[in-house]
């Protein structure tokens, strides 16, 4: 883990995530160098300082992109806009719910990201999935080199990630090269669903996951018999739960197991383990639509996988970082041990040799992501070598 701020895990997590999303080290240095004192300040003051330096860099990149666009250099403009969006998202993610300008910053981030995709020629496109009288927003990335309906991996967020973050980290690109399409979803409690539509999280993830499968089954470019699901961090709860109750999924993957999130909350109340975001308790109450802490803890009691996983009868991969300081390694073993009816279950612990030892491999996504992509390609009928059939 790259520890720019010696005493601030939450900020280090954010910097590492930004690097995994494609940040440039010179820009990281320019943004972070003025923040050493602010990193030791209380959340409200510290995050405001963080926002200022990161948005200043985003503004610079937007200006440079405009100059590129005026000269017809659209690929360069698009790449700069995507990097600016990375920095906007990193700043927005640290702000408290209800912070002045947060929604406007998020909407600006969405616009920069969308324009960046368009100008750079990315095949990734935003789509909308009908849900509860409104929609769930998602990013669709087609498989490369596939004639006819392709296998697809649905990918869902954790507590504080977004579909754009998951796209930029790289798994959809790695899957596309292996002949597997991706649908990265802002499910209830995350991304657009939470920020712009007020759709809060729910413990019964199959409720929204089934609507996603319904929509995918209408697409001629997707093989409905080869749809898998992956979840990162808290998605390590959402995904197994959804696969257990939605039999149309052909496989499941967790990138960071989250077998008993209620226990994690109890430990965090006792100051055990690291928080992923500032203002943590107000953040989780916002995500879950809780009125107060008592209400939140009542909701959290339902967020566990005990007594559920024996329903899963498809291949399942459980991955975890050996030094995960947010979710204890024991929960990866618990998930694996309870997958008793999976015909092909696997537990992969990322260690010092492989890299990716931190929470959901945010310290090094490349090797861990490649392992996941290879496993998914093998299960869903993609390819793991150039020239192979998919």
């Amino acid at each position: 883990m790259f520890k720019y701020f010696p005493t601030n895990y939450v900020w280090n997590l954010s910097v590492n995530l930004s690097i995994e999303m494609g940040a440039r080290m010179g820009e990281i240095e320019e943004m972070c160098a003025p923040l050493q004192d602010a990193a030791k300040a209380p959340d409200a003051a510290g995050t405001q300082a963080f926002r200022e330096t990161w948005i200043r860099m985003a503004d610079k990149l937007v200006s440079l992109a405009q100059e590129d666009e005026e000269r017809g250099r659209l690929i360069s403009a698009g790449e700069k806009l995507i990097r600016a969006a990375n920095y906007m998202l990193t700043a927005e993610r640290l702000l408290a719910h209800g912070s002045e300008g947060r929604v406007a910053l998020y909407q600006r981030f969405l616009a920069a990201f969308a324009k960046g995709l368009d100008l750079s020629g990315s095949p990734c496109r935003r789509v909308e999935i009908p849900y509860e009288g409104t929609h769930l927003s998602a990013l669709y990335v087609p498989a490369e080199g596939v004639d006819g309906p392709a296998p697809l991996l649905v990918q869902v967020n954790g507590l504080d990630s977004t579909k754009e973050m998951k796209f930029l980290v790289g798994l959809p690109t790695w899957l596309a090269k292996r002949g597997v399409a991706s649908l990265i979803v802002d499910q209830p409690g995350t991304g657009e669903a939470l920020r712009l539509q007020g759709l809060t999280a729910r413990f019964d993830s199959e409720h929204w996951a089934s609507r996603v499968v319904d929509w995918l089954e209408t697409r001629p470019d997707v093989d409905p018999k080869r749809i898998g699901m992956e979840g990162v961090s808290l998605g390590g709860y959402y995904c197994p739960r959804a696969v257990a109750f939605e039999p149309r999924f052909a496989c499941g993957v967790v990138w960071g197991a989250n077998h008993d999130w209620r226990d994690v909350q109890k430990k965090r109340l006792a100051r055990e383990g690291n928080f992923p975001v500032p203002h943590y308790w107000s953040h989780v109450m916002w995500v879950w639509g809780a009125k107060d802490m008592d209400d939140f803890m009542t909701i959290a009691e339902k967020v566990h996988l005990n007594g559920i996983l024996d329903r899963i009868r498809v291949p399942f991969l459980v991955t975890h970082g050996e030094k995960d300081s947010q979710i204890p390694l024991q929960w990866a073993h618990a998930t694996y041990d309870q997958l008793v009816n999976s015909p092909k279950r696997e537990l992969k612990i990322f260690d010092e040799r492989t890299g990716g030892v931190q929470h959901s491999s945010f310290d090094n996504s490349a090797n861990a992501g490649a392992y996941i992509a290879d496993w998914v390609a093998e299960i869903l009928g993609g390819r793991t070598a150039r020239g192979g059939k998919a």
Side-chain angles (χ1 to χ4, degrees), residues 57-324:
M57 177 59 71
D59 289 342
K60 180 195 296 188
L61 287 169
V62 169
S63 175
L64 291 169
Q66 185 175 356
E67 292 175 11
D68 285 338
E69 190 175 3
E70 289 169 353
R71 300 184 67 176
R73 297 173 176 175
L74 303 188
I75 295 173
S76 293
E79 290 174 349
K80 289 184 179 70
L81 284 172
I82 288 173
R83 213 158 65 249
N86 172 352
Y87 301 153
M88 293 178 200
L89 176 59
T90 301
E92 188 272 348
R93 180 180 165 275
L94 288 184
L95 297 175
H97 170 50
S99 293
E100 183 178 356
R102 181 173 187 176
V103 173
L105 174 57
Y106 181 74
Q107 291 173 319
R108 186 183 178 215
F109 145 72
L110 288 176
F113 180 81
K115 186 174 182 179
L117 288 181
D118 183 50
L119 294 182
S120 66
S122 171
C124 175
R125 286 295 178 266
R126 183 182 183 278
V127 295
E128 294 184 354
I129 302 161
Y131 177 77
E132 298 288 288
T134 177
H135 68 270
L136 298 178
S137 60
L139 297 175
Y140 176 74
V141 181
E144 297 177 9
V146 177
D147 295 324
L152 179 140
L153 188 69
V154 176
Q155 294 146 59
V156 299
N157 294 313
L159 178 70
D160 51 273
S161 59
T162 71
K163 61 188 185 300
E164 295 83 9
M165 181 184 296
K166 285 182 65 61
F167 169 75
L168 290 175
V169 166
L171 182 58
T173 300
W174 302 326
L175 286 167
K177 292 179 180 178
R178 291 162 171 81
V180 180
S182 291
L183 185 75
I184 315 107
V185 183
D186 274 347
Q187 78 269 18
T190 70
E192 290 186 49
L194 178 66
R195 290 162 173 81
L196 303 184
Q197 297 165 273
L199 295 173
T200 54
R202 49 190 303 160
F203 79 95
D204 53 345
S205 53
E206 67 275 10
H207 182 273
W208 48 261
S210 292
R211 303 293 77 74
V212 171
V213 178
D214 291 343
W215 181 82
L216 286 169
E217 287 185 332
T218 69
R219 293 187 63 99
D221 52 352
V222 175
D223 184 344
K225 300 297 183 184
R226 294 190 290 165
I227 299 172
M229 188 178 198
E230 176 267 349
V232 65
S233 190
L234 185 52
Y237 163 79
Y238 293 131
C239 170
R241 165 88 196 197
V243 173
F245 287 96
E246 175 45 81
R248 290 177 291 176
F249 284 115
C251 69
V253 181
V254 296
W255 197 343
N258 222 320
H259 187 88
D260 194 335
W261 199 67
R262 61 181 176 176
D263 181 78
V264 172
Q265 304 321 298
K266 293 171 184 176
K267 295 292 197 305
R268 285 176 176 167
L269 279 174
R271 305 299 297 175
E272 295 180 29
N274 287 315
F275 291 163
V277 290
H279 323 279
Y280 178 76
W281 296 113
S282 62
H283 182 83
V284 293
M285 285 188 282
W286 173 42
V287 166
W288 289 94
K291 300 186 295 291
D292 51 34
M293 274 297 293
D294 288 341
D295 188 30
F296 167 69
M297 293 305 292
T298 299
I299 294 170
E301 280 295 324
K302 300 177 181 179
V303 188
H304 68 89
L305 297 170
N306 291 325
I308 291 171
L309 299 181
D310 59 348
R311 299 173 61 100
I312 294 179
R313 300 181 183 275
V314 295
F316 209 101
L317 173 64
V318 179
T319 77
H320 210 80
E322 187 176 52
K323 295 185 178 180
D324 190 323

